Amino acid sequence: MKNTLPKTDLTEDELSVFRQFLKFELEPRVKEYDEKGEFPEGFFRKMHDLGYLQAFLPSESGGTNLSTLSLAKMMRAMAFHSAGISTSFAGNLLAWVSILQAQETEDLQRVITEYSGTFFLSSFCFTEPEHGSDVFRISTTFEEVGGEFILNGKKCFVTNGNFAKQFVVVARRKSQSEIEKNPEFQLFLVPRESDGVSFGKPYEKMGHRESNTTDLYLSRVRVPRERQLRVPSGMRSGLDLAFQSIQRSRILLAAAACGVADRALDLARTYLKDRVLYGKSLLTQPQIRGTLVQSHAECEAVWQMCRYAGEAWDSGARDFTPSSMAKLLSGQMVTRATQSAVELFGGWGCVKEFGIEKLYRDAKFYEILEGPTFVQQAIIAKELLSK
Ligand SMILES: Cc1cc2nc3c(=O)[nH]c(=O)nc-3n(C[C@H](O)[C@H](O)[C@H](O)COP(=O)(O)OP(=O)(O)OC[C@H]3O[C@@H](n4cnc5c(N)ncnc54)[C@H](O)[C@@H]3O)c2cc1C
């Protein structure tokens, strides 16, 4: 849907109110969510009640048309307290970005209006068990029968899947021949209650345990014609729609990685200040100060890339390189930052009570989610090496 209205930014005061909300509503319970692998649906309901979950919607649909940079600031703030919560927020948003970018229809407008006033979650379903990064070979199919679509297939790693009310599903047109030169891909908005939709159990993950992830099974699922996300003018195929939505989301994940690195630095600074060895606080040791400064500088460099990529995106640029560069470097940065923070805690870094080991577990995901290192490098190489 064409949204040409100017984006709005969160003011410093609004951001500070959001941070207070996270501090009081999220922080006290994150440890428990992580231990139990529990997804706090109620927290997301509160986010919706306060307008945070739908702030990205255009103003005429009940949102504030929030800019990518402001959403990135929200992601950074959320990930400071909980990487998993920010991942679920991003998963929901990823589905909505596809819906909002698709050609406007009365049916989609109804769904958007409903969401602005009623809480529910959405999921974006691209990854399949046999075709991870190799997305051109996905085997979930659609076929047109009697004016509607029939979907068959299996999706994995569906963020929010056990809780979502609707699913944006990427599928390829069912073909009669084994060898297809130009397969057609389309996106469909599948309601949870559709006949033939079923789910796996929540995954037991190493990190981001407060985020729900599961499998989605589609067995002869009938999707009405108006639930196809039609490709807008300027895009060639459903894959463009999916790729553009993911590319925008990568900026937000890179911002979340900054939030996790911020927390690692915060915990390390507090711990090292009070840790006295050889008669001095460890925070006074030049080598230790150097390690913290290095992490901080790398984190701020990634943040500036998020800022650049976000502003470019909102200005209408559709060059994929800035967001892939932000995503690529953010994963490496946060893995290094949390690894050195664990080390600076010594043996206590491996003990749950100190909180730093959780960040270490969470950090690795930023090198995998929404395209692992290899995929980001391939996207950047396409531009860099084709000149
Ligand atoms: C917590 C979590 C939430 C997720 N949420 C969603 C979601 O909501 N929706 C969704 O669709 N997906 C989701 N994903 C899936 C995620 O995007 C994929 O895991 C990711 O894209 C990689 O796919 P894969 O796991 O199948 O790895 P693979 O594609 O099998 O890759 C395995 C490894 O091989 C490397 N590799 C692959 N090809 C090559 C090559 N040609 N040369 C060199 N190296 C290569 C990769 O870099 C990687 O290190 C989620 C994943 C996680 C962990």
Side-chain angles (χ1 to χ4, degrees), residues 197-227:
V197 168
S198 58
F199 304 91
K201 286 185 180 162
Y203 294 176
E204 277 289 343
K205 304 190 296 298
M206 167 179 87
H208 296 231
R209 290 173 53 76
E210 327 70 287
S211 175
N212 170 260
T213 326
T214 193
D215 293 326
L216 168 73
Y217 306 97
L218 302 145
S219 171
R220 293 201 58 75
V221 176
R222 292 165 58 185
V223 181
R225 187 161 283 281
E226 57 273 19
R227 287 291 165 114

Side-chain angles (χ1 to χ4, degrees), residues 36-97:
K36 294 184 179 165
E38 184 181 325
F39 175 71
E41 192 182 16
F43 173 76
F44 281 90
R45 192 178 289 279
K46 279 187 193 151
M47 292 263 287
H48 190 278
D49 288 348
L50 295 169
Y52 293 129
L53 210 56
Q54 62 279 45
F56 63 88
L57 289 177
S59 4
E60 67 271 19
S61 302
T64 49
N65 210 22
L66 216 52
S67 68
T68 304
L69 180 59
S70 288
L71 288 165
K73 287 179 182 172
M74 287 176 75
M75 286 288 285
R76 186 172 180 173
M78 277 185 276
F80 182 85
H81 297 282
S82 161
I85 293 297
S86 67
T87 296
S88 280
F89 180 86
N92 180 60
L93 191 54
L94 177 54
W96 278 107
V97 172

Side-chain angles (χ1 to χ4, degrees), residues 87 91 124-128 131-134 156-159 205 208 213 365 368-375:
T87 296
F124 182 84
C125 316
F126 202 160
T127 310
E128 297 183 359
H131 315 281
S133 315
D134 193 3
C156 60
F157 286 109
V158 179
T159 296
K205 304 190 296 298
H208 296 231
T213 326
F365 284 58
I368 298 166
L369 269 170
E370 287 185 9
T373 298
F374 155 75
V375 170

Side-chain angles (χ1 to χ4, degrees), residues 141-145 148-152 220-223:
T141 57
F142 72 91
E143 57 185 314
E144 280 178 88
V145 181
E148 59 184 5
F149 296 98
I150 309 283
L151 267 62
N152 279 294
R220 293 201 58 75
V221 176
R222 292 165 58 185
V223 181

Side-chain angles (χ1 to χ4, degrees), residues 250-311:
R250 285 174 177 148
I251 303 168
L252 304 184
L253 284 184
C258 292
V260 173
D262 288 341
R263 187 57 180 262
L265 272 168
D266 193 55
L267 290 181
R269 197 172 30 221
T270 310
Y271 174 78
L272 295 164
K273 187 162 169 273
D274 295 339
R275 178 72 171 161
V276 176
L277 290 184
Y278 313 105
K280 276 196 232 163
S281 155
L282 276 183
L283 203 56
T284 63
Q285 298 290 356
Q287 202 182 350
I288 284 178
R289 294 168 79 86
T291 305
L292 295 181
V293 165
Q294 185 70 28
S295 293
H296 176 63
E298 288 180 14
C299 177
E300 287 311 308
V302 167
W303 177 249
Q304 291 309 322
M305 294 207 59
C306 293
R307 179 185 289 277
Y308 169 67
E311 285 173 352

